[in-house]
Amino acid sequence: MSEYSPLQKARYTYEPKLPTVLNDEIASIAVSLGEATESVADQDALKGLFPHTYGAPIARFVKGENANAGTVRKLGVILSGGQAPGGHNVIAGLFDALKKANPQSVLYGFKGGPSGIIDDDVMEITDEIMDAYRNTGGFDIIGSGRTKLETEEQFEKSLATCRKHGIDGVVVIGGDDSNTNGAVLAEWFKAKNAGITVVGCPKTIDGDLKNEHIETSFGFDTATKTYSELIGNIEKDANSAKKYWHFIKLMGRSASHIGLECALQTQPNIAIISEEVKEKNMSLEDVVNSIVDVVAARAAKGMDFGVALIPEGLIEFIPEVGALIAELNDLLAKKADDFAAQKTVDDQREWVNKELSKDSSYVFSSLPRGIQMQLLDDRDPHGNVQVSRIETEKLLIEVVGEKLDSLRRKGEYAGKFNALAHFFGYEGRCAFPSNFDADYCYGLGFSAFLLMSAGLTGYISNLANLHKSANQWVPGGVPLTMMMNMEQRHGEQKPVIRKALVELDGAPFKAFAAQRDKWAMETAYTFPGAIQYYGPSEVCDQPTETLKLEKA
Ligand code: FBP
């Protein structure tokens, strides 16, 4: 039996489509630079913090002479944070451009995420290794990690690693936090005259690293298509058996882009959008009531089944729970030793309840014990609660069930509420990248090389026009400082890339809001099916609904 599946073998030989300009010889691709740029906010503070890299111009690749193309280079690459389909292709695009420019050049991988550059855990990426990972999902070629690369000591160690291997450029493949750290590292290297450039690539299935220039982060396309296939399967099942309500929590730490895109693809009966909950200042009770209304209305028409999509980050967007979580984050950071000294789980709950403000203590006490414990779980390296571990879908099922029981007692509900909980996250993060992600990522890696070969640093690789076919995409780079503002982190003002939440006046949300009442009652499920890798272009090369609507 072959070691690889037929699809895996076929995918190894898939040739990603590049924008036309990138198909030329590297020596014939020049960089065209625009005007100086400004950050999205807090210009003075950011100018002060990034004196060497602030305000750089936007870069575009055009036909022309690239005098430094053939220089022998040694580059290093980091995969940072949660897996996203297409990461291997970013590395493949970088590798191929580097070798095409000069076969003597070398690409190193820093193993296990940012800790690889700090701890000198490095491997050379050879042809053989690269070929075994082309167009595949996962980050297993070099591994990923969530170490925050931000202290002076870590920068010194990173410099020592680069010097030891002769590395003159570092590519950081990551989300908003990792690219923020990349920007700080770029500035630090430049201030030290280290001669090492740093370029980022926009990664995250969450879709929240986007703005005027970054039209989408890679991985979002594949992950939402994978989840939508599964949701479509569940919708078929729900509509066949007609006896269950399915509550499906969808990954996406903070923003609801994944939930919104999946709703547009599958037309469920309910899809909660966290940003709307916050905007309307909805309490947990309001959210529950909005679900109960749909369940009861469907029951009144004899439909005791349905599908509800719940975004992973919802809990933090419900104002009273968000305030509780913010207090807990602070408390557990500032009094970590006191918390650790509590011997039992009940001691921990009691201690926390005493330390919290009156309002937050009330909210904490009103939550089921299981949720309380999940809220006290370890924080991530950025000090945030790990929302993927909080079983919001189960919390909602429990509270909706209680509310329906009380309506039943009053004679206002006569249906049956049998609900099942699902959580889709890890099912999609390492899927084979869709053609879109395979092409997009390859182009991002390729462009990252071109930015470095032009000596640019503190940039993020980008491709524009993504709703068009790949040959019409416009490749280039955007200075990272342009996407930054100052935000409060761990009690201090810090420079960070602004996270993109779902815009309630944006076309994707408006398209959803215009149809959700109909979807609630009409069982208008759509079944997107599996991602197609081979076949007609209108089936295999479609971008997300979000991109199509935003670009319409
Ligand atoms: P990134 O922002 O690092 O891309 O992470 C995305 C994500 O998949 C979130 O949707 C999720 O909350 C988180 O990672 C889970 O991370 P982990 O598996 O490390 O707990």
Side-chain angles (χ1 to χ4, degrees), residues 80-84 146 174-176 178 203-206 208 251-254 258 312 386-389 426 429 499:
S80 183
Q83 283 68 252
R146 291 198 182 275
D176 51 342
S178 309
K203 171 235 72 164
T204 178
I205 60 162
D206 295 1
D208 55 8
M251 238 186 200
R253 182 197 311 280
S254 190
I258 291 180
E312 178 183 83
Q386 305 200 45
V387 281
S388 60
R389 300 199 196 162
Y426 298 99
R429 282 203 324 189
K499 211 186 249 308

Side-chain angles (χ1 to χ4, degrees), residues 49-50 59 73 130 165 173 178 196 213 235 252 262 288 308 310 314 434 443 470 476 487 521:
L49 289 167
F50 294 88
R73 290 173 198 283
M130 194 65 255
H165 300 280
I173 305 174
S178 309
I196 303 169
H213 301 284
E235 288 180 338
C262 291
V288 168
I310 319 291
L314 172 66
S434 60
E487 287 176 25
M521 296 309 297

Side-chain angles (χ1 to χ4, degrees), residues 158-159 162-163 167-170 186 189-190 193-198 457:
S158 302
L159 179 59
C162 290
R163 291 263 190 262
I167 290 170
D168 50 56
V170 176
F189 278 154
K190 194 123 189 232
N193 257 328
I196 303 169
T197 52
V198 181
T457 190

Side-chain angles (χ1 to χ4, degrees), residues 110-111 113-122 147 154 157-158 161 164-165:
F110 297 113
K111 289 161 76 179
S115 61
I117 189 170
I118 301 168
D119 301 334
D120 186 21
D121 196 2
V122 178
T147 302
Q154 291 174 328
K157 284 180 154 183
S158 302
T161 302
K164 178 174 161 193
H165 300 280

Side-chain angles (χ1 to χ4, degrees), residues 22 24-32 60-71 73 97 101 446-455:
L22 299 188
D24 248 318
E25 286 308 310
I26 302 269
S28 309
I29 310 173
V31 174
S32 144
R60 287 273 162 264
F61 302 128
V62 293
K63 209 172 165 44
E65 198 198 342
N66 180 349
N68 300 323
T71 312
R73 290 173 198 283
F446 210 98
S447 300
F449 169 76
L450 289 169
L451 293 169
M452 289 174 145
S453 80

Side-chain angles (χ1 to χ4, degrees), residues 231-246 269 298 304-307 523 525:
I231 295 164
N233 294 350
I234 287 182
E235 288 180 338
K236 281 265 177 205
D237 200 289
N239 201 23
S240 305
K242 302 199 192 296
K243 63 176 181 182
Y244 292 125
W245 264 93
H246 295 270
N269 308 105
R298 285 178 67 82
D304 280 317
F305 67 95
V307 170
T523 312
Y525 304 148

